[in-house]
Amino acid sequence: MSQSLSRALVILGMLGEETRSLDQLATALDVHKTTVLRLLRTMEADRFVQHDAEHKYVLGSRFFELANRALEQRDVRTVARPHLAALNISTGQTIHLATFESGEAVYIDKFDATQSVRMYSRIGKPAPLHCTAVGKVLVSARPRAEQIDIAHRIEYSRFTERTIDTPERYLAELQLVADQGFAEDHEEHESFVNCVGVPIRNGTGETVAAVSMSVPDMLLDHAQVLGTLPEIVDVAAAISADLGWKPGSETQL
């Protein structure tokens, strides 16, 4: 039984790369065609594989159903945590993870700076959409019509002199974030604090979270914080890859 299971898994892996004929599969496995055919028929009955008119085998619909469920079951906080911890250790700065829930950007994880002053943010607390890097990243990923609706219904509380205060400025900022692939909070939410945020995507390419790093300017000035962007982008890409995302593909396992 274990040998049959092993062969079936090898077949699925091969079909994930390209279509194969019965002869090709038998040759690759170095077994008789009847053995491979028996496995294929079993998997075909459960929709894990299917064959076309030329008797070339491909992955079946059941396989993709399970793949999509597997992607949905991956909890972004659990997947992201070791990556965020490593970023926190390497930079020594405050790291946030946020998701878009019920029209708000909500912090779902946080690693405090190892030495500098702690940020006001806390897990479970909403982040202002108009003046935080995570808020801008998450809203910029929404459909444009929804962005416009959000821009005209949120309150533009002014936290600092740099805080965005009109729907027009906010929508322009969201377009900039979408174009450049990251967001800034340049002393907009807290005076003397700069922040950069990057999207995290799942296997379908949907932005499901945002990771950010916040730094008081007594430690790093605005330009220096922007200089850390490649490291944050790399972390976001690693988390996204663990969630099944691959650049250039709409759906990945």
Side-chain angles (χ1 to χ4, degrees), residues 33-213:
K33 287 192 294 185
T34 56
T35 300
V36 178
L37 184 59
R38 184 167 58 250
L39 292 172
L40 289 169
R41 284 176 174 171
T42 299
M43 290 189 287
E44 192 165 21
D46 289 326
R47 296 187 292 113
F48 282 100
V49 302
Q50 64 186 59
H51 68 274
D52 58 21
E54 298 179 351
H55 292 281
K56 292 276 191 176
Y57 286 86
V58 297
L59 295 177
S61 60
R62 177 64 173 165
F63 188 87
F64 293 111
E65 288 174 11
L66 293 177
N68 286 330
R69 289 180 187 175
L71 291 174
E72 292 170 358
Q73 290 170 358
R74 296 183 187 182
D75 175 64
V76 64
R77 185 176 186 270
T78 301
V79 171
R81 197 150 230 279
H83 296 284
L84 302 181
L87 181 61
N88 173 248
I89 291 171
S90 67
T91 64
Q93 306 303 333
T94 301
I95 307 300
H96 292 109
L97 180 69
T99 57
F100 193 76
E101 301 175 11
S102 302
E104 294 182 318
V106 179
Y107 294 115
I108 62 172
D109 210 349
K110 176 187 179 183
F111 288 83
D112 283 310
T114 56
Q115 295 181 345
S116 63
V117 178
R118 293 188 174 187
M119 305 291 107
Y120 292 129
S121 57
R122 64 177 183 270
I123 297 173
K125 181 180 179 180
L129 297 176
H130 64 298
C131 60
T132 60
V134 292
K136 294 175 185 178
V137 166
L138 294 169
V139 177
S140 71
R142 313 301 297 179
R144 191 60 176 176
E146 186 176 349
Q147 292 180 27
I148 294 172
D149 178 65
I150 291 172
H152 285 89
R153 69 174 170 76
I154 63 176
E155 296 181 8
Y156 290 91
S157 301
R158 288 189 65 85
F159 295 92
T160 76
E161 293 181 354
R162 293 181 178 273
T163 303
I164 291 174
D165 57 2
T166 67
E168 292 74 23
R169 287 183 59 197
Y170 185 50
L171 287 169
E173 181 78 358
L174 294 178
Q175 187 60 57
L176 175 64
V177 171
D179 291 342
Q180 67 188 11
F182 69 92
E184 290 186 64
D185 162 9
H186 183 14
E187 299 184 29
E188 298 170 44
H189 187 215
E190 297 179 50
S191 297
F192 313 114
V193 175
N194 291 293
C195 180
V196 288
V198 178
I200 293 172
R201 297 178 172 86
N202 64 10
T204 65
E206 176 188 2
T207 295
V208 293
V211 58
S212 70
M213 185 178 77

